[in-house]
Amino acid sequence: MSAYLRSAAEDPIRRRDGEPVAISVDGERLTGVQGQSIAGIILATGRLDWRVTSAGSRPRGVFCGIGVCFDCLVTVNDEPDVRACLRRAVHGDVVVQQHDPLPTPVEGSIDG
Amino acid sequence: MADVLVIGAGPAGLAAAAAAREAGGEVTLLDSSDVLGGQYWRHLPDSRPAERERLLHHGWDTFTALRRRLESDPHVRIVTSAQVWAIERDTGVPAVVHVLVGPPDAGGRQRLALRPDAVVFATGAHDRTLPFPGWDLPGVFTGGAAQALAKGERIAVGRRVLVAGAGPFLLPVAASLTQTGATVVGVLEANRLSTLVKGWAPRPWQLASTHAKARELAGYVANHVRHAIPYRTGRAVVAAHGTDRVTSVTTAAVDAAWTPIAGTERTVEVDAVCVSHGFTPRLELAIAAGCALTPDRFVMTGPDQQTNVVGLYAAGEITGIGGVDLAMAEGSIAGWAAAGGPPDDKAVRDGRRRRAAYRAFAARLEAAHGIRPGWTGWLDSHTIVCRCEEVSFGRLCGAADATSTTSLRSLKLSSRAALGICQGRMCGRSVEEILAGRVAGGRLRDEVVADQRPIAVPIRLGDLAARRDPEPPTASPSQSPTPNETE
C-alpha cells in the first residue's frame, strides 16, 4: 500500500501517455513517461523517501509537492539541490539520493 | 504603450495579463512552471494529453480560453520556466526584476533583468501546515501536494488516505484523490460545526452574487456523497506514526480553540495523510519591491489593486485568501490599471462588482476556517517544528526561555528555526506564533521578518557570478523583443 500512478487505461479522463523515459535512481533503472517529474517517477514505484536529513539522518521525500518545502532535493547528473517535484525527468538522468551530513566539530574546538 | 510585467500565471495573473492587453498594454507574463494555470489549474503536460481533463477542474474552459487568447496575441510575451529570484528598486522604474529562465534548479540558466513600466504581482499562496508529532515522516503530505500530484501527474499519494486540517480546500483535495483511484477514509475539519455556522451564516444575502462559488462547492460535496467519505468537524490529526513512513495517525477531538481534548484519541491506519490548515501568501517579491502589508499580512492594495509603490499592483491570494473568483476579479482590475486603463471604464466595472461579492465570501472563509491558537496543545517537546533544521518544539521554547529578547531575528539565530533551505516558508509563521506566546509581553518585536527573503529562491553561486546574458530567452511560445531589458 502506497503511492502509485493511476494507469492510463483506468483513468476516467481518457489519458494518453507519451514516450517512456528511463532514469537511474540510486543505481536502479526506473521507467516513467515523458512529462513526469523525477518525484513522480519515484513515487510511482511506491518509494516515498529519497533524501536523508542533515541533523537527524531522517528520511524525506515529497511534502509540499509544489517546490516550496525543499524536502525532495536530489542530485541530478552531479548537480545537487534539485527539487524533484519540479524537475521533469529527462531520459538518461542519473539521480542520486542526497545526504549532506553536518560538519564534524574539530577536537579541541569550542563545539568539540 | 505601457510595458506591463505580470508575475505568476495562475488565475489572477492570467486575468491580469488579459485585462492589461484590453487596456492596450504590452504584456510580459512570467511563471516558474513550464505550463500556465498556476496551482489551481495545475494540469498534465502536452506530452500526456487527456480528452476529458476538464473532469479534474473547475472553470477549465475559462482557463483554456484565456490561455489560447494570450498565447495567440503577438503583444503578449509568455516566458515559462522563469524563476524571479530578486527584485531591486531603482530610479525611473517601479522595479528591476531579476529572472532565471530554464529547468528548475539547473545551473547555467539564462539571466534576465526586466525594467517594466508596471508590475502585477500574482504570486499566489502555498499550503500552511501546522506541525504535529510525526509530520516529518514520509507519507505525510500537504493537501497541495496531493492535488498537484493528482492533477499534474495522475499520481495518488497513497491508497488509503486521510485528509485533515481546516478550510474548504480539504474538499477538492479529497476529490482529487478519489479521482485518482485512492480511498479517502475521511476528511477532518478542525473547526467545530458551531464555528463554521457562525462564520458562514450571518447576512446570507451577501452571498447571493457568488453562484460560481456555490457551484464549485456543490461539485465537491457531490463527490463526497458519491464516495461516502465521512466529513467530521472539530477533529484533528494530532500525530502520525511509523518508523520510516506513515502507517497510522492519531486523531483527536479539539475544542473551539483547537486544543485537543484528552480521551478522544483514535488511531486510523493509513498509508498517507494530507494535512493543510490554510494558506500562506507568497509575499517575498512584493516585500522586496517595497510593497506595504496589511496588519494581517497580505499585500495592501487600493481600489485599483495598486500597492503603495507607484506602478506596482497585486492580485489574488497575496492580497487575501479568497479563491479563484476573487483572484480573477482582482487580476482583471490590476491588469487594466497597470496598463493605464481609465479607472471609470465600464470594462472594469464588472470586475469591481465581482471583487466586492467575493471579498465578502473571503471574510466568511477566515471567520469559519481560520487557525485557532490551541494547536500548540498537540505538540510535545520532541515535535519537529522547523523541518529543514530539525528544530524541535522543546529546543525552540528553550531558546526563547534562555533570553529576555523579543526579537524574532535573534531567536531564529539562536534556535536555528526557520533558517534552513526553505527559508522559513514551511514553519515561519508557526515559529512566530510559538515564540510570540513564549516571550514576555506575548509579542515579537520584528514580526515581518519571516516573510522577507531578499533572494527569493536559492541561486547557484556560479549563476550569480556569471556574465549577464544580453539575449532574450528562446524557450517561450511567443516572443517580441522588449526594449527595457538590460541584461
Side-chain angles (χ1 to χ4, degrees):
Chain A
M1 294 226 297
S2 205
Y4 62 91
L5 171 69
R6 176 140 225 198
S7 80
E10 287 173 14
D11 200 329
I13 65 169
R14 295 194 193 143
R15 176 181 106 227
R16 279 180 295 121
D17 280 345
E19 295 295 302
V21 168
I23 62 172
S24 156
V25 178
D26 291 332
E28 192 185 345
R29 185 186 155 94
L30 301 183
T31 310
V33 294
Q34 208 191 338
Q36 271 191 288
S37 68
I38 289 172
I41 290 181
I42 304 177
L43 284 171
T45 69
R47 178 173 167 183
L48 292 183
D49 66 275
W50 50 82
R51 186 170 73 87
V52 179
T53 61
S54 299
S57 295
R58 297 291 297 148
R60 292 279 173 88
V62 167
F63 178 63
C64 81
I66 59 169
V68 183
C69 77
F70 292 78
D71 258 355
C72 69
L73 294 182
V74 284
T75 297
V76 182
N77 306 327
D78 294 326
E79 198 163 55
D81 302 330
V82 174
R83 285 169 284 178
C85 72
L86 295 186
R87 179 70 76 85
R88 298 212 197 260
V90 174
H91 193 74
D93 274 346
V94 177
V95 178
V96 183
Q97 166 172 290
Q98 211 168 311
H99 180 203
D100 306 313
L102 296 178
T104 321
V106 179
E107 211 179 315
S109 73
I110 26 174
D111 296 327
Chain B
M1 259 195 316
D3 262 319
V4 178
L5 175 67
V6 179
I7 304 178
L14 292 170
R21 281 297 300 131
E22 266 170 50
E26 193 79 30
V27 173
T28 300
L29 175 61
L30 303 183
D31 198 273
S32 60
S33 170
D34 58 358
V35 293
L36 304 182
Q39 299 309 332
Y40 187 77
W41 285 312
R42 178 99 164 209
H43 59 279
L44 289 161
D46 291 345
S47 56
R48 301 176 74 191
E51 265 172 59
R52 304 176 67 192
E53 190 160 19
R54 66 162 50 71
L55 289 179
L56 306 181
H57 294 274
H58 284 271
W60 182 247
D61 295 338
T62 305
F63 165 60
T64 52
L66 262 173
R67 178 176 62 183
R68 226 179 0 256
R69 179 166 149 204
L70 295 172
E71 283 180 347
S72 62
D73 187 334
H75 297 283
V76 178
R77 175 197 190 202
I78 298 173
V79 188
T80 54
S81 300
Q83 177 71 64
V84 177
W85 64 273
I87 291 198
E88 278 181 301
R89 289 186 258 181
D90 197 4
T91 48
V93 284
V96 183
V97 179
H98 294 275
V99 191
L100 285 168
V101 184
D105 299 327
R109 280 177 286 176
Q110 186 159 30
R111 276 179 67 173
L112 293 175
L114 307 173
R115 302 168 66 87
D117 301 321
V119 180
V120 178
F121 292 102
T123 46
H126 58 74
D127 298 68
R128 173 155 179 214
T129 300
L130 300 171
F132 56 88
W135 76 310
D136 51 325
L137 277 171
V140 179
F141 298 89
T142 67
Q147 275 235 303
L149 286 160
K151 297 201 294 193
E153 304 230 12
R154 303 308 286 141
I155 296 265
V157 294
R159 293 192 189 272
R160 206 183 134 74
V161 188
L162 182 69
V163 176
F169 177 60
L170 302 179
L171 298 176
V173 170
S176 290
L177 284 161
T178 57
Q179 284 169 325
T180 319
T183 301
V184 176
V185 297
V187 174
L188 307 183
E189 159 70 50
N191 285 298
R192 298 180 135 196
L193 193 57
S194 55
T195 310
L196 301 185
V197 169
K198 246 186 282 170
W200 284 107
R203 296 180 293 281
W205 59 88
Q206 287 181 350
L207 291 176
S209 47
T210 56
H211 318 291
K213 216 74 245 177
R215 264 202 308 279
E216 189 182 357
L217 195 62
Y220 299 136
V221 171
N223 174 77
H224 238 69
V225 173
R226 197 159 53 241
H227 294 277
I229 303 169
Y231 180 82
R232 298 202 202 296
T233 55
R235 219 171 163 83
V237 166
V238 295
H241 312 286
T243 45
D244 53 8
R245 59 159 63 196
V246 169
T247 52
S248 68
V249 295
T250 301
T251 71
V254 295
D255 67 16
W258 292 19
T259 305
I261 300 170
T264 62
E265 295 85 358
R266 232 177 287 160
T267 305
V268 186
E269 277 180 33
V270 293
D271 58 6
V273 57
C274 302
V275 187
S276 287
H277 298 95
F279 291 95
T280 306
R282 307 181 76 152
L283 297 173
E284 52 274 345
L285 297 179
I287 291 176
C291 299
L293 304 183
T294 60
D296 52 350
R297 285 170 63 189
F298 292 99
V299 179
M300 189 191 287
T301 53
D304 293 318
Q305 296 300 128
Q306 77 272 33
T307 69
N308 59 308
V309 181
V310 176
L312 302 184
Y313 298 78
E317 307 295 61
I318 57 167
T319 72
I321 304 302
V324 63
D325 302 289
L326 180 57
M328 291 191 70
E330 290 186 352
S332 65
I333 297 165
W336 178 268
D344 301 324
D345 196 282
K346 66 175 176 7
V348 276
R349 250 177 256 153
D350 176 57
R352 285 182 206 280
R353 191 187 48 74
R354 283 183 289 131
R355 179 177 64 184
Y358 289 111
R359 277 211 178 136
F361 181 88
R364 282 157 195 264
L365 193 72
E366 178 58 26
H369 298 281
I371 291 172
R372 318 285 162 189
W375 64 269
T376 52
W378 64 58
L379 304 176
D380 63 46
S381 65
H382 302 291
T383 307
I384 295 290
V385 173
C386 168
R387 300 171 63 90
C388 298
E389 294 292 310
E390 299 176 270
V391 179
S392 67
F393 180 56
R395 214 166 100 205
L396 188 59
C397 293
D401 297 347
T403 153
S404 59
T405 183
T406 59
S407 156
L408 175 62
R409 186 189 296 276
S410 155
L411 289 167
K412 279 167 67 179
L413 288 169
S414 58
S415 68
R416 296 214 49 77
L419 293 180
I421 191 167
C422 91
Q423 298 177 280
R425 286 178 168 89
M426 290 293 103
C427 73
R429 297 215 167 177
S430 301
V431 165
E432 284 176 29
E433 277 182 36
I434 291 168
L435 290 175
R438 201 85 190 174
V439 299
R443 245 185 93 82
L444 294 163
R445 206 169 60 224
D446 42 7
E447 53 194 20
V448 175
V449 168
D451 295 311
Q452 283 170 347
R453 301 176 185 99
I455 305 288
V457 284
I459 168 172
R460 293 179 194 279
L461 286 174
D463 288 333
L464 202 56
R467 184 182 64 87
R468 294 179 170 194
D469 195 329
E471 297 300 318
T474 51
S476 84
S478 59
Q479 296 277 323
S480 54
T482 305
N484 294 338
E485 221 157 273
T486 56
E487 285 187 356

